[in-house]
Amino acid sequence: MRRAVIEAEDLVYVYHPGTPFEVRALDGVNLRVMEGEVLAVVGASGSGKSTLVQHFNGTLLPSSGRVRVLGVDTRQKGAPARLWREVGLVFQQPEHQLFEETVLEDVAFGPKNLGLAPQKARERALWALEAVGLDPGEVAGLSPYSLSGGWRRLAAIAGVLALKPKVLVLDEPAAGLDPAGKRRIYRLLARLRREHGTAVVLVTHDLEGVLGLAGRVAVMARGRVTAWGEPGEVLSRAGELEAAGLEVPLTVRLLNRLVAAGVPVKAGALTVGEAVRQIAGAFGLEGGRG
Amino acid sequence: MLDAITFGQYVPARSFLHGLDPRTKVLGVLALGGSVLAAGSALELLAVLAVTALAVSASGVPLKLYARAVLPLKYILAAAFVVQALASPGGQVIWAAGRFSVTAGGLTGAAFVLARVLLLLTAASALTFTTPPTRVAAAVEALLSPLKKLGVPAAELSLAMTVALRFIPVLLDEAQLLLKAQRSRGAGAAGRGPVKWAQLTVSLLVPLIAGAIRRAEELAVAMESRGYRPGAARTRLLELKMQKRDAAVLALLGALFLGTVLWGG
């Protein structure tokens, strides 16, 4: 049985309590992130995803309920000041958060704050740049502002990765990137999990994009988790996805219609190929091709 | 620390003050501010306080928000009070230690200064809480327009003001996000001291300024693509319109101002 690295219990978070701007962003969230898994948190804008993940390294503290990270309650005294070492949090559009003169120095900022010696911090930064697929020889000495948007995003992710966190949390890491850039990010996350056992929490509204990557999916709507489970399981519950304001992949909609029409297929196909095989099998055809 | 709800934030609501013409409110704040400064006696200050309280209750904004607008200045206000109390002699000595002494006159003077500053802040907040920045700017433009003949670029001044006011909350939000992001990379975690403080400041200021420039460029493109030309005549979506209650408010505040100026010479 794998351990939970992050546990949220009845988590409630209210922005600006007691003012006309009061917003109940999280309304009783229960969620676990298991060791070494990739968990995708999906939901429409304003569903509370970003607020939720900012609790995972103590950036936000619960209004009520609690969050435990590696067994430690985030409201424990001094916990938020330590948690950034364990849980790397990549905020939205991290490419706008770079500030050092060179890419290398920027990526080494975190390791230096860990207390590593300059040489060690440098090595860590070079490793992180390579890990995200940037060529250190090419980009290390450049100004972050001279890189293209996609590369700058990768450099920013490297800046968090360089902390070697046990859990990596990314808020919309692929938003606004071209398809190749998106695939690069998703491949990177899959490799991190595989090679380093890093648990990855991925916030996104691109459900289809993360199907192959995520071991589990949690669907959020109006500050609550409305559905969770393995991707196939969640996909087969198209009604709940639509209620959460998410786009249900075309293949899944087709399979659901077939199920409703009495054709013996399973609704939760993750890829087009799988859907084709299901349909071909149900109609007694030789499937999986074309 | 950097809460977006602070001095200068518009609070949407329906209230008497929200419904007033923005020109009335701008003139009103000027008159009220003038009265605060002109009030020379406790009685006059009480009259100003009464009118300010009336404005606050007519604003439909919770008192808590007024408190929040003032609270960040509490140390400065406390320091001003102490200095004023020690520095202005006169009247009966209440407490003395070496060269320093607190007198009845000093305390009264300090109380006056404190009351004046608080009243000014409250009056200004009543304006900004109940009036969107664009409306404030429209009012300023309308009030300055007689000066256009003298070459004062009223429309451009008003636009610059709109943009500045509009971007205060945006930049505060951004600064808050940056603070969170850099803290998540351990900024300010490993010890304190001037060097660490400088590092944290740089890690916030560089991206904040880069972001402000990026936004300014985007705004310029967006405005030009919608046909904005500096100096060209423009119409407004929401025309300014004075009503009876505007006249009543102006009469009240005008009387208060004249009263405080003329009273006691």
Side-chain angles (χ1 to χ4, degrees), chain A residues 21 54 57 96-97 106 113, chain B residues 180 182 184-186 207 214:
Chain A
F21 301 96
Q54 286 182 30
N57 77 343
H96 294 323
Q97 290 145 19
D106 205 287
N113 289 328
Chain B
K180 285 178 181 176
Q182 310 301 26
S184 295
R185 288 207 281 161
R214 195 178 65 243

Side-chain angles (χ1 to χ4, degrees), chain A residues 16-21 54 57 59-60 81 84 87 89 91-92 96-99 106-107 109-110 113 145 159-160 163, chain B residues 3 5 9-12 62 64-65 68 177-178 180-187 189-190 196 202-203 206-207 210 214:
Chain A
H16 313 307
T19 74
F21 301 96
Q54 286 182 30
N57 77 343
T59 294
L60 294 181
W84 62 274
V87 181
L89 179 51
F91 283 78
Q92 276 178 44
H96 294 323
Q97 290 145 19
L98 302 172
F99 66 94
D106 205 287
V107 177
F109 178 67
N113 289 328
Y145 288 92
V160 173
L163 300 169
Chain B
D3 206 315
I5 302 174
Q9 170 95 23
Y10 172 62
V11 184
K64 201 172 169 181
L65 288 190
R68 275 203 201 181
L177 177 74
L178 282 167
K180 285 178 181 176
Q182 310 301 26
R183 280 208 177 136
S184 295
R185 288 207 281 161
K196 286 284 164 192
V202 168
S203 75
V206 171
R214 195 178 65 243

Side-chain angles (χ1 to χ4, degrees), chain B residues 4 6-8 162-174:
Chain B
T6 43
F7 193 69
T162 313
V163 172
L165 288 174
R166 176 65 190 79
F167 277 84
I168 289 171
V170 172
L171 288 178
L172 275 176
D173 272 350
E174 192 144 300

Side-chain angles (χ1 to χ4, degrees), chain A residues 12-279:
Chain A
V12 172
Y13 188 78
V14 183
Y15 282 103
H16 313 307
T19 74
F21 301 96
E22 180 170 308
V23 179
R24 206 175 170 87
L26 296 178
D27 191 15
V29 170
N30 288 286
L31 187 78
R32 285 176 162 200
V33 183
M34 309 305 285
E35 211 171 31
E37 78 164 338
V38 175
L39 170 71
V41 178
V42 298
S45 313
S47 59
K49 299 168 299 198
S50 297
T51 307
L52 174 65
V53 295
Q54 286 182 30
H55 281 83
F56 291 173
N57 77 343
T59 294
L60 294 181
L61 297 176
S63 299
S64 76
R66 70 175 171 178
V67 175
R68 274 187 300 188
V69 177
L70 304 168
V72 178
D73 192 320
T74 56
R75 278 198 295 198
Q76 202 175 315
K77 198 164 171 265
R82 287 192 309 268
L83 279 174
W84 62 274
R85 296 159 184 265
E86 319 283 350
V87 181
L89 179 51
V90 180
F91 283 78
Q92 276 178 44
Q93 302 199 319
E95 63 273 23
H96 294 323
Q97 290 145 19
L98 302 172
F99 66 94
E100 285 279 16
E101 275 175 52
T102 68
V103 171
L104 185 68
E105 280 175 72
D106 205 287
V107 177
F109 178 67
K112 275 187 207 154
N113 289 328
L114 283 173
L116 296 184
Q119 187 54 33
K120 285 273 179 207
R122 213 182 117 87
E123 280 167 21
R124 196 60 96 71
L126 290 170
W127 168 83
L129 281 173
E130 241 167 82
V132 298
L134 290 174
D135 177 4
E138 196 179 344
V139 301
L142 297 177
S143 159
Y145 288 92
S146 70
L147 300 184
S148 72
W151 280 25
R152 220 185 298 164
R153 171 98 41 111
L154 287 173
I157 293 176
V160 173
L161 195 58
L163 300 169
K164 291 205 172 176
K166 293 193 181 68
V167 186
L168 186 62
V169 183
L170 306 100
D171 196 349
E172 298 282 8
L177 296 183
D178 59 26
K182 279 187 188 176
R183 276 197 300 274
R184 202 173 297 135
I185 301 261
Y186 292 149
R187 272 205 305 270
L188 160 68
L189 298 179
R191 199 171 40 154
L192 280 176
R193 192 198 66 81
R194 205 170 54 234
E195 289 175 8
H196 300 279
T198 312
V200 177
V201 179
L202 181 63
V203 171
T204 181
H205 53 246
D206 171 27
L207 176 58
E208 205 165 354
V210 298
L211 284 180
L213 173 65
R216 276 193 318 146
V217 176
V219 179
M220 286 194 73
R222 293 172 303 280
R224 288 167 175 271
V225 174
T226 54
W228 67 94
E230 287 174 10
E233 223 174 295
V234 170
L235 275 182
S236 64
R237 296 154 75 175
E240 268 153 47
L241 292 176
E242 269 162 9
L246 290 167
E247 196 174 338
V248 180
L250 200 62
T251 49
V252 175
R253 274 186 288 174
L254 174 61
L255 289 170
N256 280 326
R257 295 277 280 275
L258 288 171
V259 170
V263 179
V265 290
K266 275 192 291 179
L270 296 184
T271 62
V272 176
E274 202 181 320
V276 170
R277 274 190 295 278
Q278 288 258 352
I279 295 168

